[in-house]
Amino acid sequence: MAEQFHNYIHGEWVPAFSGGRTFTSINPANKDDVIGAFAASDREDVKRAIQAAHAALPQWRALSAPMRGQYLWRAADILQSRAEEVARAMVRENGKTITEARGEVMRGVMLLRYYGTEGLHSVGEVIPSVKPGTLLFTTRQPLGVVSIITPWNFPIAIPLWKIAPALVFGNTVVFKPASLTPHCGVLLTQIFAEAGLPPGVLNLVTGSGSGMGEELVKNPFVRGVSFTGSNTVGREIAAWAANVNVKYQLEMGGKNCTITLPDADLDQAVELTVRGAFGYAGQKCTATSRAIVVGDIVEEFTERVVARTQSLKVGDPNEEDTFVPPVVSQAQRDSIMDNIQMGRMEGGKLLCGGQVLKGGLYDRGFYVQPTVFTNVRADMVLACEEIFGPVLAILPAKDVDEALQLANDCRYGLSASLFTRSVNAVLTYLDRIDVGVVKINGETAGVEPQAPFGGMKDSSSHSREQGRAALEFFTELKTVYVEKS
Ligand code: NDP
């Protein structure tokens, strides 16, 4: 029988309230490997978790921020000491390569340390008053109870870059991880429990988001919601939150591009385009899915991208030299294959890949060949829709102007990278590109935790997370006037 894992409410591990119902999580590289049975929670479990968070709030917010930060430091030490175990658990549950999983765990450690120290930094400003002797300043207070709803693709880093600032700024948390990665959610919660977090400060509810979403947003004790995932769900959350005037933050999709100019270092542009497109099988919101190439280098660029793509090892994510692991689920694989099929029907020219991999270990998991298309027009699915799989579309452009037009002709605006040595081209691009994460001669994927992260247009709710931007979301501003009596 599969190992049983419970919810964590008010400092106790408890089964789902309504009859202890469970659901299972499986290994995308081996669908016969059942990781465990997890609490299939419903609204009643969410209500209990929110009540626990509400009850814990007064004592938690009464601690000083540096004292709250101490818990994060302890959690960082525990995560670091269990790094290999957590990385292997992540590989088993979401199929990420072991190299990327180790990187993600260490990023989690860094996030905990960064926000552990954040409690020592200033939170407001002193403003000169027009009235003599008056002290005028701003300060901040926590929102209160916050719901944190996260996806499966970064099941340690994304929860941490939301939970760590929420806690250090004095909020209490209800955490709902993706149903494809509940074990990672349990491990993270265990680490906070071991760090001695008081009961109710962090609560975990696993189970279907569609059944619990409305309660997580509209329960009267909830004052904030931070979400990462699909556009469809994000918009639903935004509508609920606006309806009850709850503060919300959404990080959603991307359709990120590289732009390569004729003067670029072609080795670098090809390598980083391919890495950005096929790392973690393209399942990152910042993955490269469009390569826009300017001028007559397009043919050479395309040949080299195809050759490099065909050299990537697709296989067991536990092997150190695997670059392209399986995709996360059967449903995700089917959705990627539908998009590939649509790309063909719309006239895209398939240069490599395009198939589900079969035989041997491939039959046990959800493997899709790394796929490159050319002859892609801006109005095709391949150029517009977030496929969230190992699929790259190459689009030619005659000059920088047309390249920027193509780059921006998209509902998303998360990240982009320009490959060039020309300072003039860089300045034009910085001015005109409509994305939140702007790279030059870099990979579209990959961000640092101490810098703000987020997108424009349909990629976010126009908010930012990570770095000091988290202070803006997880606190409310107070303007204080102190006058003599
Ligand atoms: P979802 O948006 O469905 O899931 C993200 C989180 O939201 C999960 O915890 C999910 O729970 C929860 N959720 C689902 N429905 C609701 C709801 N009605 N109310 C509140 N929470 C809800 O993304 P998927 O995992 O299904 O992925 C689908 C697509 O979304 C991908 O193909 C990709 O395009 C995009 N995506 C983007 C990500 C990003 O980093 N920007 C990350 C993941 C996906 P549960 O798992 O229980 O359904």
Side-chain angles (χ1 to χ4, degrees):
M1 202 174 90
E3 196 179 345
Q4 304 276 315
F5 296 93
H6 296 327
N7 286 333
Y8 188 69
I9 298 178
H10 195 65
E12 288 185 15
W13 294 96
V14 290
F17 179 71
S18 52
R21 285 188 312 116
T22 59
F23 68 101
T24 53
S25 164
I26 62 160
N27 179 344
N30 178 4
K31 41 198 183 224
D32 297 330
D33 175 23
V34 177
I35 292 159
F38 298 84
S41 314
D42 61 18
R43 290 184 89 126
E44 186 53 38
D45 300 280
V46 177
K47 277 187 190 152
R48 285 164 185 243
I50 291 171
Q51 267 156 13
H54 180 68
L57 188 61
Q59 280 192 333
W60 182 246
R61 62 177 278 183
L63 293 178
S64 69
M67 281 168 79
R68 292 191 296 259
Q70 292 299 311
Y71 289 95
L72 302 190
W73 274 82
R74 279 204 287 277
D77 291 343
I78 298 166
L79 180 58
Q80 188 158 23
S81 70
R82 293 176 64 180
E84 186 64 14
E85 173 206 342
V86 175
R88 291 279 170 197
M90 200 189 316
V91 174
R92 186 175 172 210
E93 194 166 45
N94 77 357
K96 181 168 293 197
T97 62
I98 184 62
T99 314
E100 292 216 30
R102 286 183 185 132
E104 182 174 340
V105 172
M106 290 322 293
R107 182 165 161 197
V109 172
M110 188 176 166
L111 278 158
L112 284 163
R113 296 226 162 98
Y114 173 82
Y115 283 112
T117 314
E118 191 58 26
L120 291 166
H121 293 146
S122 63
V123 293
E125 56 180 346
V126 177
I127 301 159
S129 168
V130 293
K131 291 188 195 163
T134 294
L135 175 60
L136 174 54
F137 64 96
T138 60
T139 185
R140 287 181 171 271
Q141 73 170 42
L143 295 178
V145 176
V146 296
S147 293
I148 285 179
I149 305 173
T150 55
W152 44 265
N153 58 343
F154 289 89
I156 297 293
I158 293 180
L160 277 177
W161 81 51
K162 297 175 189 288
I163 293 171
L167 294 181
V168 84
F169 296 130
N171 305 278
T172 54
V173 171
V174 176
F175 166 36
K176 207 304 275 177
S179 293
L180 289 169
T181 51
H183 189 219
C184 290
V186 167
L187 287 175
L188 209 52
T189 308
Q190 280 174 0
I191 285 165
F192 278 109
E194 204 181 320
L197 216 52
V201 171
L202 172 66
N203 305 277
L204 169 80
V205 280
T206 56
S208 162
S210 57
M212 293 188 280
E214 197 168 357
E215 192 66 38
L216 282 163
V217 181
K218 290 173 87 174
N219 183 295
F221 287 139
V222 170
R223 298 311 314 145
V225 181
S226 181
F227 165 86
T228 301
S230 65
N231 229 267
T232 319
V233 174
R235 279 168 186 255
E236 195 170 18
I237 288 173
W240 286 329
N243 197 260
V244 290
N245 196 24
V246 158
K247 195 172 180 184
Y248 65 91
Q249 172 185 60
L250 315 169
E251 282 308 325
M252 300 175 288
K255 188 72 192 169
N256 316 297
C257 66
T258 56
I259 301 173
T260 303
L261 301 191
D263 72 338
D265 173 341
L266 213 53
D267 289 340
Q268 182 187 44
V270 166
E271 183 61 23
L272 295 185
T273 298
V274 169
R275 286 184 163 268
F278 302 118
Y280 189 32
Q283 300 171 112
K284 301 178 189 177
C285 52
T286 49
T288 308
S289 56
R290 298 178 295 158
I292 300 168
V293 190
V294 174
D296 54 14
I297 55 166
V298 66
E299 214 167 291
E300 186 182 353
F301 178 93
T302 305
E303 271 168 26
R304 287 167 70 168
V305 161
V306 170
R308 182 69 182 108
T309 302
Q310 287 172 324
S311 76
L312 299 173
K313 179 175 164 186
V314 187
D316 182 347
N318 276 297
E319 289 176 8
E320 312 266 339
D321 59 342
T322 293
F323 193 82
V324 188
V327 298
V328 74
S329 65
Q330 171 94 46
Q332 193 66 22
R333 186 176 75 183
D334 293 347
S335 150
I336 294 164
M337 293 312 295
D338 286 350
N339 280 293
I340 289 174
Q341 184 56 20
M342 183 66 84
R344 282 174 148 153
M345 278 162 45
E346 287 183 341
K349 183 173 169 199
L350 185 67
L351 298 180
C352 66
Q355 302 289 332
V356 166
L357 280 153
K358 296 217 166 76
L361 76 95
Y362 297 134
D363 289 341
R364 292 199 292 275
F366 311 115
Y367 290 91
V368 177
Q369 284 177 328
T371 300
V372 179
F373 276 99
T374 187
N375 274 9
V376 177
R377 292 189 318 273
D379 61 343
M380 290 181 182
V381 160
L382 292 170
C384 303
E385 294 302 322
E386 182 180 47
I387 298 173
F388 230 59
V391 183
L392 176 69
I394 299 180
L395 294 90
K398 64 176 187 306
D399 53 23
V400 177
D401 251 13
E402 193 188 12
L404 283 167
Q405 212 173 323
L406 282 170
N408 287 336
D409 185 13
C410 172
R411 62 192 278 232
Y412 296 109
L414 188 52
S415 74
S417 184
L418 175 72
F419 290 94
T420 185
R421 294 182 173 99
S422 155
V423 75
N424 288 3
V426 168
L427 291 172
T428 304
Y429 159 83
L430 286 182
D431 183 42
R432 286 179 42 195
I433 190 79
D434 291 334
V435 298
V437 180
V438 184
K439 303 262 189 111
I440 291 138
N441 297 320
E443 194 180 314
T444 59
V447 294
E448 298 193 25
Q450 72 282 17
F453 170 69
M456 296 184 181
K457 301 193 276 189
D458 277 358
S459 290
S460 89
S461 53
H462 319 292
S463 45
R464 294 291 180 268
E465 42 187 0
Q466 301 193 70
R468 290 228 88 200
L471 175 70
E472 299 285 328
F473 180 72
F474 286 109
T475 60
E476 288 214 80
L477 197 67
K478 273 180 177 165
T479 308
V480 185
Y481 296 78
V482 185
E483 298 187 41
K484 288 183 178 159
S485 71

